[in-house]
Amino acid sequence: MRPDRLIARLPIRAKLTLAYTGLIALVLGAIGVFLYFHFKSGLDDGLNATLSARGDDVSALLRQEGVRGLARRRGLLAGGDLTA
């Protein structure tokens, strides 16, 4: 039996249920894609800002105190979960 004949033989409630299910799946998929890219962009921006600030701190320390200043402040280079 062909699929179009099978759908034609379904009662109206089943057809409406299938249509509603398909529409909800599309809407939820679109929302998921939007949230994924929105949060990914926000996370990338936050990490870039943090790394840039850490890099600015290291470069300022290098300008002021030189390599010896970095040796005294190793926590700035490898502290936490970010490494400059």
Side-chain angles (χ1 to χ4, degrees), residues 9 11 17 31-33 35 48 50 57 61 67-69 71 77 82 84:
R9 294 183 62 192
T17 301
I31 290 171
V33 167
L35 289 176
N48 286 339
T50 303
D57 291 344
L61 183 64
V67 176
R68 290 184 184 177
L77 292 176
L82 297 174

Side-chain angles (χ1 to χ4, degrees), residues 6-25:
L6 180 63
I7 292 174
R9 294 183 62 192
L10 287 175
I12 188 72
R13 286 184 181 178
K15 291 177 188 176
L16 288 174
T17 301
L18 287 174
Y20 180 75
T21 303
L23 181 64
I24 292 298

Side-chain angles (χ1 to χ4, degrees), residues 61-77:
L61 183 64
L62 269 174
R63 273 187 254 116
Q64 291 175 358
E65 299 182 24
V67 176
R68 290 184 184 177
L70 282 177
R72 281 182 274 154
R73 296 191 180 140
R74 290 201 179 271
L76 184 63
L77 292 176

